[in-house]
Amino acid sequence: MKLTLIGTGYVGLVTGACFAEVGHNVLCVDNNKDKVAQLKAGKIPIFEPGLEDLVKNNVAAGRLAFTDSTAEGVAHGEVIFIAVPTPPQPDGSVDLTYIEAVAREIAQQLQPGQYRVIVDKSTVPVKTGEKVTETINRYSAEGCIFDVVSNPEFLREGCAIADLMQPDRIVIGSRSQRATDLMKAIYEPFHAPTYITDINSAELIKHAANSFLALKISYINAVAAICEASGANVDEVADGMGADKRIGRAFLNAGLGYGGSCFPKDIKAFIHIADELGTPFHLLKEVEKINAGQLDRFLQKIKNKLWVLKNKTFGVLGLAFKGDTDDVRSSVAIELCRRLLAEGASLRVTDPQALEKAQTELGHDPRITYCANPEEVFDRVEAVILATEWKQFRNLPWKQLKDKMIAPLIFDGRNLLDHHSLREMGYDYTGIGRP
Ligand code: NAD
Ligand code: UGA
């Protein structure tokens, strides 16, 4: 089937490539001309495992192409997916400027008599579909036939291709049988359980799902604090809790809290939506509070050990908001660096993929040394802080690295490292909720 993706970022590019992989003919549109030029030249603007090969193979097979023209996009695909940003506004509500702009641009390109399905894949507040429909009606010529569908995306960065190729479920929010049939045909090759709902419910599923996952993270982080106060071990508590199928072990990893381009903004948005609808969601306000407190508590632990941080140098392992990505948007690791710098500390930082993007965020402060090799982070530092859950940090030659440090202090903000063996090597190890 001929499909168009408008917005070729994390969601648009990976989804477009996966649609092409199962045989659809996909045109990805982006209004960032540099990005489109890069993609046309075979360069992938983001790091996502497996993406480069997937894009190259499908471009070579003639199933995937790129353009900066919305007009071409609307002419190409009978089904047009919108995957543009929905950033937060200062009051927590969602900035829908990008969605409105694309809806208007699509409307102006619709041809009378030609059927199109406009699918919102961006994460949007409930009732956005209604507004998109009104907008397209307002700006399109008479006689244009279209349906609006909500099809939220649940991929995680770092494992986006697997999440898309073997999804837990597909949600299709649609009032039209014609549009629903087309959507089912698009997703048929993915063999996933499919939930057909009304548009408002589909939009709500996305915010409710992300908020619930964030709630799980804050729940275990609050439990971790109780573990610290009582001498229990949060890893063992999470395993024991998570073994109950009704609870599940996933997203019960205690740490520095959730970051990234989605959870922080989506939880804020859901709180705002609930307030606006007159049904305040106080539970989610607590989820945010616990999340923000994680970094404060962690910094306090560092201060408890090292007293004054001013003029001390710290090694930081990991800058991305999670492992297996180069995305540093709302990364807790970056915020940690900022807080240490504000205390007057110097930093030696590394990340397997996000060093360049981190440099754009943190700038060229002379107190920051960007290290391409993680082992350089250990040179004459007072402590090493693990801030992102990159698995390869487990396999560093920890025994040798200890002698490079001023004192062998480790603060593990993601409970990633084997604390027993590090302690045997002579490290002073501090994790989250681990005795
Ligand atoms: P992104 O910033 O990586 O990509 C968005 C792209 O849209 C950019 O390349 C931008 O240039 C382009 N764009 C903006 N306006 C445009 C226009 N008028 N015409 C054409 N292109 C335009 O964003 P993202 O991370 O892919 O997120 C997109 C949406 O998907 C958001 O609502 C987000 O919440 C949601 N989402 C993201 C993820 C994720 O893991 N990143 C997962 C699920 C859902
Ligand atoms: C999250 C959701 O998992 C996706 O389903 C959703 O599609 C996406 O948001 C979105 O809407 O954009 P993502 O942000 O890519 O995906 O990454 P996650 O794996 O969910 O991690 C988010 C944050 O939570 C990271 O900072 C991670 O370190 C943290 N986290 C995750 C924990 O602290 N503990 C955990 O147990 C899991």
Side-chain angles (χ1 to χ4, degrees), residues 7-329:
T8 309
Y10 278 87
V11 170
L13 181 58
V14 187
T15 309
C18 289
F19 280 158
E21 180 68 10
V22 299
H24 298 305
N25 183 332
V26 180
L27 183 60
C28 285
V29 182
D30 206 285
N31 65 356
N32 179 335
K33 288 186 192 309
D34 290 344
K35 193 181 259 192
V36 172
Q38 263 191 56
L39 285 161
K40 282 186 168 174
K43 293 202 186 84
I44 309 298
I46 52 170
F47 171 77
E48 180 64 40
L51 184 62
E52 192 165 348
D53 285 346
L54 195 71
V55 170
K56 281 191 177 147
N57 294 344
N58 282 287
V59 168
R63 290 189 298 263
L64 180 62
F66 305 97
T67 179
D68 57 22
S69 156
T70 306
E72 270 180 45
V74 175
H76 174 86
E78 184 171 9
V79 181
I80 301 161
F81 291 82
I82 302 176
V84 295
T86 47
Q89 310 209 76
D91 66 355
S93 64
V94 183
D95 177 357
L96 291 163
T97 317
Y98 297 90
I99 298 281
E100 200 261 354
V102 174
R104 216 169 348 113
E105 288 163 28
I106 293 172
Q108 284 156 359
Q109 301 302 330
L110 289 178
Q111 302 299 320
Q114 189 185 49
Y115 180 63
R116 288 291 180 263
V117 182
I118 293 106
V119 184
D120 175 40
K121 209 168 227 328
S122 294
T123 302
V124 294
V126 60
K127 290 171 157 318
T128 298
E130 291 171 8
K131 294 286 176 203
V132 168
T133 307
E134 281 171 24
T135 304
I136 298 177
N137 270 325
R138 187 173 311 131
Y139 293 104
S140 57
E142 213 164 297
C144 293
I145 324 156
F146 71 93
D147 281 307
V148 170
V149 167
S150 166
N151 172 223
E153 180 47 60
F154 302 100
L155 69 80
R156 288 163 298 171
E157 291 181 23
C159 46
I161 292 173
D163 283 349
L164 273 161
M165 296 304 285
Q166 296 105 34
D168 285 346
R169 80 306 209 178
I170 303 295
V171 173
I172 299 171
S174 166
R175 286 203 187 90
S176 141
Q177 193 57 49
R178 185 174 181 186
T180 305
D181 289 344
L182 280 171
M183 292 297 290
K184 280 181 165 168
I186 292 168
Y187 280 108
E188 201 270 326
F190 296 91
H191 307 293
T194 302
Y195 295 84
I196 314 290
T197 68
D198 60 86
I199 299 181
N200 287 343
S201 302
E203 290 168 342
L204 259 182
I205 286 170
K206 177 63 191 174
H207 270 127
N210 269 9
S211 298
F212 191 79
L213 291 168
L215 179 145
K216 273 189 101 174
I217 297 170
S218 280
Y219 189 92
I220 201 64
N221 282 333
V223 171
I226 298 171
C227 288
E228 281 172 14
S230 61
N233 183 333
V234 75
D235 301 336
E236 292 173 7
V237 175
D239 289 345
M241 278 173 66
D244 184 328
K245 286 193 192 71
R246 295 169 303 172
I247 297 173
R249 178 63 178 83
F251 278 69
L252 286 180
N253 296 319
L256 288 174
Y258 60 77
S261 70
C262 292
F263 280 176
K265 84 161 166 68
D266 290 347
I267 282 61
K268 269 196 176 26
F270 206 28
I271 290 171
H272 195 272
I273 292 161
D275 278 343
E276 270 202 328
L277 292 170
T279 51
F281 210 151
H282 298 296
L283 178 64
L284 289 184
K285 293 180 186 168
E286 198 56 35
V287 165
E288 277 196 317
K289 216 155 113 190
I290 294 168
N291 198 57
Q294 282 309 100
L295 188 53
D296 297 338
R297 288 166 43 77
F298 191 67
L299 282 164
Q300 193 53 51
K301 285 184 200 172
I302 299 175
K303 282 186 191 166
N304 290 349
K305 286 262 181 204
L306 283 156
W307 191 18
V308 175
L309 307 187
K310 195 171 176 183
N311 297 331
K312 290 191 171 140
T313 304
F314 294 90
V316 179
L317 294 171
L319 298 163
F321 84 96
K322 63 181 277 193
D324 287 323
T325 180
D326 62 350
D327 197 346
V328 295
R329 293 179 286 179

